[in-house]
């Protein structure tokens, strides 16, 4: 188990620039959709964290040719929709819920059998949200009670297109159903109560699939026409806004800081955190707006200063669900209260993120109230919280990184155990912070 300790910066600001690591969501999809195309898909800027590497191994086990050609550069030789081969061994997705759920959708569209496994954290996370709609499409699942890994999935000879009304807005559920529907003879539809990340729809369109998105009776409706021939693509993966959030918040809470984060993906369904931080008074400027791989991208210039507590509207939850832990850190240094509600999904992520953030913030001397569907943080108005504690991240990478950022602004260091999982999404985390002047290291 890895323990990292963040040393307080005192009055020393963060300075410099970094490039955001490749977007994890788009990296996963690049490998998967490349496997479903006919011919070579070339990817640059791929996030080479452990989660994405697990997806690369799984895609190769399903019959695609996967080759690393340089740093962040990969080529996937696809086998076409419906062309996946039955793997000879279990597909180990490590800590990746995205990898597991989306690959289940791919396998559910083919008449093959595959077993899905993962690490201890992933094996505690329920898969029932994707099992239920994929079962309607003809897939058969055998797994642990509560729909937990390991799970063996057998796809049907002829996958059935469905019209599925999802009880929650979830990009993973939507994507799994759409991926299974690619091999169905007909149109597959997913209806959501709110918009979720649309990377799957954007990328499927670029590969040549017929995908339609519309609003109907207050629902977001996405349809895909089955059995297309997907054309290989050249994909430049933009930087991950979820990873960029850590340096951005660190700069905001340390007065005098000025940090530039290059190549940040600014998809409106992913940029909710930056909107909330700006509403809190954060100085975040977007430079050189552009489009890469069908996604809006820009460079963020972030300057430290006073923040004020603000509400995080529940309607924004789907656009920033992974960023609530680091938002808590900004809230801890803000003036006043920041209320975060409608985020009960955080209780079934890599950990119960609501409980872990509440307990960790209290240990660091931050006042916080826990709700079943969220939390309310009472900020210090810029005064350093006490710190001087050890936080168990429960092998959750976002919890670990969030409390390390808090440690930079505390009176005493914060040590985080279970920090080895940072490598799943942000292998260069400590190196990037060192480049900005921070001291985060194993002690």
């Amino acid at each position: 188990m890895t323990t990292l300790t963040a040393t307080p910066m005192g009055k020393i600001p963060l300075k410099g620039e970094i490039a955001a690591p490749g977007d994890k969501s788009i990296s996963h999809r690049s490998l998967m959709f490349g496997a479903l195309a006919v011919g070579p898909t070339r990817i640059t800027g791929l996030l080479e964290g452990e989660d994405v590497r697990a997806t690369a191994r799984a895609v190769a086990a399903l019959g695609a040719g996967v080759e690393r050609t340089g740093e962040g550069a990969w080529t996937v030789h696809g086998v076409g929709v419906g062309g996946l081969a039955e793997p000879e061994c279990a597909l180990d997705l490590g800590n990746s819920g995205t990898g597991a759920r989306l690959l289940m959708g791919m396998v559910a569209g083919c008449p093959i059998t595959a077993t899905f496994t993962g690490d201890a954290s992933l094996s505690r996370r329920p898969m029932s949200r994707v099992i239920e709609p994929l079962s309607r499409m003809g897939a058969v699942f055998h797994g642990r009670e509560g729909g937990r890994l390991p799970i063996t999935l057998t796809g049907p000879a002829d996958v059935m297109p469905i019209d599925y009304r999802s009880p929650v807005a979830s990009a993973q559920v939507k994507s799994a159903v759409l991926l299974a529907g690619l091999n169905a003879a007909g149109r597959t539809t997913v209806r959501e109560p709110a918009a979720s990340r649309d990377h799957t729809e954007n990328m499927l369109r670029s590969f040549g699939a017929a995908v339609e998105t519309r609003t109907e009776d207050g629902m977001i409706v996405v349809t895909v026409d089955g059995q297309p021939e997907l054309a290989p693509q050249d994909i430049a993966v933009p930087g991950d806004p979820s990873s960029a959030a850590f340096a951005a918040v660190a700069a905001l809470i340390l007065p005098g800081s000025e940090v530039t984060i290059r190549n940040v993906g600014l998809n409106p369904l992913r940029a909710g955190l930056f909107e909330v931080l700006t509403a809190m008074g954060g100085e975040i400027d977007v430079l050189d707006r552009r489009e890469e791989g069908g996604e809006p991208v820009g460079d963020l210039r972030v300057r430290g200063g006073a923040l004020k507590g603000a509400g995080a509207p529940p309607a924004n939850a789907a656009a920033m669900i992974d960023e609530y832990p680091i938002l808590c850190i900004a809230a801890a240094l803000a003036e006043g209260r920041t209320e975060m509600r409608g985020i009960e999904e955080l209780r079934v992520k890599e950990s119960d993120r609501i409980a872990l953030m509440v307990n960790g913030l209290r240990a660091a001397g931050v006042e916080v109230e826990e709700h079943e569907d969220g939390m309310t943080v009472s900020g210090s108005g810029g005064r350093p919280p006490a710190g001087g504690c050890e936080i168990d991240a429960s092998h959750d990478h976002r919890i670990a990184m969030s409390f390390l950022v808090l440690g930079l602004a505390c009176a005493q260091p914060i040590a985080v155990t279970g920090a080895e999982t940072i490598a799943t999404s942000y292998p260069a985390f400590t190196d990037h912070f060192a480049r900005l002047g921070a001291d985060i290291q194993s002690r």
Side-chain angles (χ1 to χ4, degrees), residues 63-226:
V66 180
E67 178 186 9
R68 184 178 189 267
T69 58
E71 184 176 350
W74 294 65
T75 299
V76 180
H77 297 273
V79 295
V81 171
L84 299 181
E86 188 163 289
E88 296 182 0
C89 56
L91 304 179
D92 185 350
L93 279 305
N95 190 246
S96 179
T98 298
R101 294 186 178 101
L102 269 62
L103 282 165
M104 284 183 184
M106 286 176 57
V107 171
C110 298
I112 61 175
T113 296
T115 296
F116 294 79
T117 67
D119 66 10
S121 172
L122 185 60
S123 297
R124 290 193 298 267
R125 298 163 66 184
M127 298 289 155
S128 53
R129 283 184 178 177
V130 296
I131 290 174
E132 196 272 331
L134 295 178
S135 296
R136 293 192 195 180
M137 302 178 82
V140 177
F141 293 83
H142 298 283
R144 295 167 58 214
E145 183 179 356
R148 290 175 168 80
L149 301 183
I151 288 173
T152 297
L153 185 170
T154 299
D158 296 299
V159 64
M160 295 292 296
I162 61 171
D163 188 325
Y164 181 65
R165 188 183 185 96
S166 179
V168 295
S170 167
Q172 292 181 0
V173 173
K174 173 179 63 179
S175 298
V177 174
L178 294 177
L179 285 169
L182 285 176
N183 203 33
R187 173 169 286 190
T188 294
T189 301
V190 179
R191 302 173 187 270
E192 295 188 295
S196 62
R197 296 180 182 183
D198 59 357
H199 300 309
T200 292
E201 298 95 299
N202 291 342
M203 293 187 72
L204 282 178
R205 290 187 187 101
S206 70
F207 275 84
V211 180
E212 177 189 343
T213 302
R214 65 184 188 276
T215 301
E216 184 177 293
D217 297 329
M219 304 284 282
I220 306 299
V221 182
V222 182
T223 62
V224 63
D225 291 342

Side-chain angles (χ1 to χ4, degrees), residues 29-50:
R29 288 164 173 80
S30 298
L31 294 165
M32 294 181 196
F33 298 173
L36 298 176
V38 178
T41 288
R42 295 176 176 85
I43 308 165
T44 57
L46 189 86
L47 175 66
E48 295 185 326
E50 293 176 5

Side-chain angles (χ1 to χ4, degrees), residues 79-415:
V79 295
V81 171
L84 299 181
E86 188 163 289
E88 296 182 0
C89 56
L91 304 179
D92 185 350
L93 279 305
N95 190 246
S96 179
T98 298
R101 294 186 178 101
L102 269 62
L103 282 165
M104 284 183 184
M106 286 176 57
V107 171
C110 298
I112 61 175
T113 296
T115 296
F116 294 79
T117 67
D119 66 10
S121 172
L122 185 60
S123 297
R124 290 193 298 267
R125 298 163 66 184
M127 298 289 155
S128 53
R129 283 184 178 177
V130 296
I131 290 174
E132 196 272 331
L134 295 178
S135 296
R136 293 192 195 180
M137 302 178 82
V140 177
F141 293 83
H142 298 283
R144 295 167 58 214
E145 183 179 356
R148 290 175 168 80
L149 301 183
I151 288 173
T152 297
L153 185 170
T154 299
D158 296 299
V159 64
M160 295 292 296
I162 61 171
D163 188 325
Y164 181 65
R165 188 183 185 96
S166 179
V168 295
S170 167
Q172 292 181 0
V173 173
K174 173 179 63 179
S175 298
V177 174
L178 294 177
L179 285 169
L182 285 176
N183 203 33
R187 173 169 286 190
T188 294
T189 301
V190 179
R191 302 173 187 270
E192 295 188 295
S196 62
R197 296 180 182 183
D198 59 357
H199 300 309
T200 292
E201 298 95 299
N202 291 342
M203 293 187 72
L204 282 178
R205 290 187 187 101
S206 70
F207 275 84
V211 180
E212 177 189 343
T213 302
R214 65 184 188 276
T215 301
E216 184 177 293
D217 297 329
M219 304 284 282
I220 306 299
V221 182
V222 182
T223 62
V224 63
D225 291 342
Q227 300 181 340
E229 180 170 313
L230 302 183
Q233 300 294 303
D234 290 339
I235 301 172
V237 178
D240 195 320
S242 298
S243 296
F246 297 102
V249 168
L252 289 173
I253 64 176
L254 294 169
S257 295
E258 182 171 331
V259 169
T260 299
I261 311 168
R262 303 286 183 193
N263 195 44
V264 180
L266 297 175
N267 184 305
L269 296 175
R270 295 286 302 282
L273 173 70
F274 301 121
E275 295 176 6
V276 173
L277 292 174
T278 300
M280 295 172 71
E283 188 176 348
I284 304 175
D285 297 319
V286 181
L287 312 176
D288 190 20
R289 290 181 183 269
R290 56 198 184 275
E291 186 172 293
E292 293 182 6
E295 296 279 344
V297 174
D299 302 330
L300 301 183
R301 184 175 61 200
V302 187
R303 295 187 174 101
L307 297 176
K308 295 182 178 180
N316 281 11
M320 52 180 291
I321 195 64
D322 287 332
E323 286 75 69
Y324 281 95
I326 192 60
L327 175 59
C328 288
I329 306 308
L333 275 295
E335 179 74 43
R337 291 159 56 88
T338 300
E339 185 176 61
M340 294 160 268
R341 304 296 292 264
I343 54 174
E344 57 271 23
E345 183 181 344
L346 290 182
R347 294 197 182 275
V348 292
K349 286 287 190 176
E350 283 86 334
S351 64
D352 181 341
R353 286 180 172 165
I354 293 174
L356 284 179
M357 288 306 303
V358 167
N359 293 337
L361 288 169
R362 287 173 177 165
V366 178
E367 182 181 343
V368 57
E369 180 183 357
E370 181 175 0
H371 315 295
E372 184 59 34
D373 68 337
M375 55 204 132
T376 300
V377 177
S378 296
S380 69
R383 296 179 301 277
C389 56
E390 182 174 284
I391 304 294
D392 180 359
S394 294
H395 306 286
D396 188 315
H397 55 127
R398 299 198 193 280
I399 298 295
M401 289 185 282
S402 295
F403 279 108
L404 290 169
V405 170
L406 179 61
L408 300 177
C410 284
Q412 297 294 325
I414 288 181

